[in-house]
Amino acid sequence: MVTETVEIKNRAGLHARPAALIVKTANEFDAEINIELDDMKVNGKSIMGIITLGANYKSELKISAEGKDEKEAVAALVKLFESRFEE
Amino acid sequence: MKEFTVLDLLNLELKAHNELHLKCIAGRKGLVRKITDPEINRPGLTLSGFYEEFAFHRIQLFGKGESSYLCKLEKEGNMKTVEKLFSYHVSCCIFSNRHTPGKRFLEIAEKSGCAVLQTDLSSAELAMRLMRALSNVFAPHKIIHGVLVEVFGIGILITGNSGVGKSETALELIERGHRLIADDSVELRNVSGNILMGSAKDQRLGHHMEIRGLGIINISYLFGVGSIRDRKQVQMIVDLEEWDQEKVYDRLGSGENTREILGIKVPLVQVPVKAGRNIPIIIETAAMNERLKKLGYFAAREFDQNVLTWLESKNARNLYFNNKDIF
């Protein structure tokens, strides 16, 4: 399992559009992807799940993936967070 | 678990018959103090000067008796025990029956940075509502990927991998007159040790669904308020999975499969998904079957019993006809 911690850098937080982007990226991989905030853990391939996290500016999320393409999956997601969801 | 502060207690969203009617009358600085224990302490002993085993981390509830004792202390000008009480890190004080403590008490509380709250409820009523509210807050909980629907009164949690068709199945169930509680991520709580309560993490997001190709839709606007529910006990889990040629599925339904969530065993039905299989109807039937089981009728067991009786009678008949000695 690969785990990586990221910080949300766009002001608006994880609203619908970033969530859709995350899900789109996550769905390109076979690995099982989870995103955690505090004690909440949701499936990285579900839009409603990610929006439910209610992650706002500067909150820290833990991305974890398990499966044969876990490394690539986490790297792609981290890149997405780093690029502030192209906002 | 996320920290639960006194301010969270004031902001708890409760229904009318559970409301705590709390307001802060002093010590606003103390609103950030954490509540770590769901239980309540009556500080009578402490006020009279006995400090052993003082459960200071609990919420301190001042009822009629404590309030009038405080009045007496204040009249006598003897506030030593009150000062001592606030030298502990008390989470917060609540006065019931709209009692207001004396000026000196409020000053000492203000100085020590402990919130003093007031309510118009009686002590017994407040204690009951607090217990109920806090046991819910402190209940073990977790978020599960799935859809929670109510079908014929049975709370069914539909789980399965992403893309297997959970939301589509739920949508058809709603269209057929059943109810949605939460889509995609369901917050489950272990209430009083044996009930698994499911709801949406946030009511504002709960009654929306994401359907591939359509995007996000609002169920209560599309299908009416009759098609939604805020919370429901999870009484059955339906696990959807891709049809696997190799796997042996339950053909009789006599085995009792369960899945344990937060220490509670919930009946589990595994349903393989394949084109041409109408999953909503299977789920409806499973719900009705579950209700029959609750009423004491077990179809698979009953069927088995009937077969056995029939075989026995057949055996007996054969024995009777083959045994020539009888004649």
Side-chain angles (χ1 to χ4, degrees):
Chain A
M1 188 163 90
V2 181
T3 314
E4 199 79 54
T5 309
V6 287
E7 193 191 62
I8 296 184
K9 289 180 176 159
N10 62 319
R11 288 265 170 193
L14 275 194
H15 56 100
R17 208 189 57 85
L21 265 175
I22 293 174
V23 171
K24 196 180 136 221
T25 313
N27 265 317
E28 288 164 10
F29 302 95
D30 285 332
E32 193 177 302
I33 299 166
N34 283 307
I35 299 181
E36 274 174 80
L37 173 70
D38 297 330
D39 60 341
M40 283 181 284
K41 185 175 180 177
V42 298
N43 192 309
K45 294 181 183 175
S46 120
I47 287 199
M48 289 303 283
I50 292 173
I51 294 175
T52 317
L53 282 177
N56 44 17
Y57 180 51
K58 286 215 164 157
S59 33
E60 283 203 343
L61 299 178
K62 213 161 91 185
I63 303 174
S64 54
E66 192 157 11
K68 55 178 194 302
D69 49 5
E70 51 188 32
K71 267 189 197 145
E72 294 86 339
V74 171
L77 286 171
V78 169
K79 210 177 125 198
L80 201 59
F81 275 89
E82 294 296 326
S83 70
R84 302 183 188 194
F85 310 103
E86 295 143 30
E87 257 177 22
Chain B
M1 193 190 134
K2 247 178 118 176
E3 285 163 354
F4 188 74
T5 62
V6 182
L7 191 63
D8 292 329
L9 181 69
L10 281 168
N11 288 339
L12 266 187
E13 277 174 49
L14 297 166
K15 292 271 156 65
H17 57 284
N18 275 328
E19 259 182 71
L20 299 169
H21 302 288
L22 288 173
K23 61 174 190 202
C24 182
I25 53 173
R28 299 197 70 87
K29 270 189 289 173
L31 290 178
V32 294
R33 287 201 179 172
K34 279 171 256 168
I35 298 175
T36 51
D37 197 323
E39 282 177 69
I40 293 161
N41 186 48
R42 301 293 290 258
L45 279 175
T46 324
L47 289 176
S48 62
F50 186 75
Y51 305 103
E52 267 174 57
E53 303 276 343
F54 173 38
F56 59 88
H57 49 272
R58 289 188 182 164
I59 294 169
Q60 307 296 323
L61 176 58
F62 292 73
K64 261 192 194 134
E66 287 88 355
S67 294
S68 47
Y69 188 69
L70 270 181
C71 259
K72 176 179 162 270
L73 288 180
E74 189 130 350
K75 249 183 225 153
E76 291 168 356
N78 178 12
M79 300 304 278
K80 250 185 250 152
T81 53
V82 176
E83 270 163 19
K84 177 91 179 171
L85 186 147
F86 281 115
S87 69
Y88 290 90
H89 193 83
V90 174
S91 57
C92 71
C93 297
I94 301 181
F95 282 80
S96 60
N97 296 310
R98 211 176 294 176
H99 283 298
T100 314
K103 239 170 126 191
R104 282 286 293 140
F105 181 92
L106 292 177
E107 276 168 25
I108 299 168
E110 191 79 54
K111 221 171 93 191
S112 73
C114 174
V116 180
L117 313 178
Q118 193 189 41
T119 175
D120 52 3
L121 299 170
S122 71
S123 305
E125 187 63 32
L126 177 76
M128 220 159 63
R129 293 186 187 186
L130 255 183
M131 284 290 228
R132 226 171 5 214
L134 291 181
S135 67
N136 211 8
V137 170
F138 285 89
H141 56 113
K142 84 189 228 193
I143 291 181
I144 272 198
H145 182 58
V147 189
L148 184 57
V149 283
E150 184 204 66
V151 180
F152 295 126
I154 301 275
I156 296 183
L157 179 68
I158 306 172
T159 60
N161 284 335
S162 184
V164 81
K166 293 183 295 292
S167 295
E168 285 78 0
T169 305
L171 189 62
E172 181 155 357
L173 283 169
I174 294 161
E175 215 267 315
R176 293 169 71 94
H178 304 293
R179 298 187 170 120
L180 174 78
I181 293 103
D183 177 44
D184 242 10
S185 55
V186 184
E187 187 173 45
L188 298 173
R189 282 174 185 278
N190 175 341
V191 182
S192 63
N194 53 6
I195 294 173
L196 194 64
M197 200 50 96
S199 63
K201 172 79 192 151
D202 190 303
Q203 294 306 347
R204 276 163 294 185
L205 308 178
H207 302 131
H208 290 74
M209 276 182 117
E210 188 236 333
I211 300 289
R212 250 145 260 196
L214 287 184
I216 291 175
I217 55 173
N218 186 332
I219 295 302
S220 65
Y221 278 32
L222 281 172
F223 297 94
V225 279
S227 61
I228 53 167
R229 244 193 103 130
D230 284 347
R231 49 197 228 130
K232 174 75 190 165
Q233 185 189 350
V234 179
Q235 289 152 305
M236 192 164 109
I237 298 173
V238 173
D239 190 34
L240 301 184
E241 53 181 25
E242 300 279 348
W243 189 288
D244 185 354
Q245 280 295 333
E246 312 286 304
K247 199 171 162 179
V248 184
Y249 294 101
D250 191 358
R251 302 293 292 263
L252 288 174
S254 52
E256 278 185 77
N257 256 335
T258 56
R259 180 181 290 171
E260 206 176 293
I261 299 177
L262 295 168
I264 299 171
K265 281 200 178 116
V266 186
L268 168 74
V269 182
Q270 273 173 318
V271 180
V273 177
K274 193 162 105 170
R277 263 171 76 88
N278 191 331
I279 306 299
I281 288 181
I282 295 177
I283 292 180
E284 269 186 349
T285 314
M288 287 193 276
N289 206 29
E290 186 64 24
R291 289 194 71 165
L292 270 183
K293 278 187 200 169
K294 278 201 194 319
L295 292 171
Y297 181 82
F298 216 119
R301 232 180 263 162
E302 186 96 357
F303 180 78
D304 195 30
Q305 204 60 45
N306 287 342
V307 171
L308 284 176
T309 331
W310 177 67
L311 284 179
E312 233 158 63
S313 67
K314 206 174 162 193
N315 264 347
R317 214 163 39 224
N318 283 344
L319 207 69
Y320 183 77
F321 287 127
N322 292 340
N323 195 341
K324 296 198 170 60
D325 295 343
I326 293 175
F327 297 106

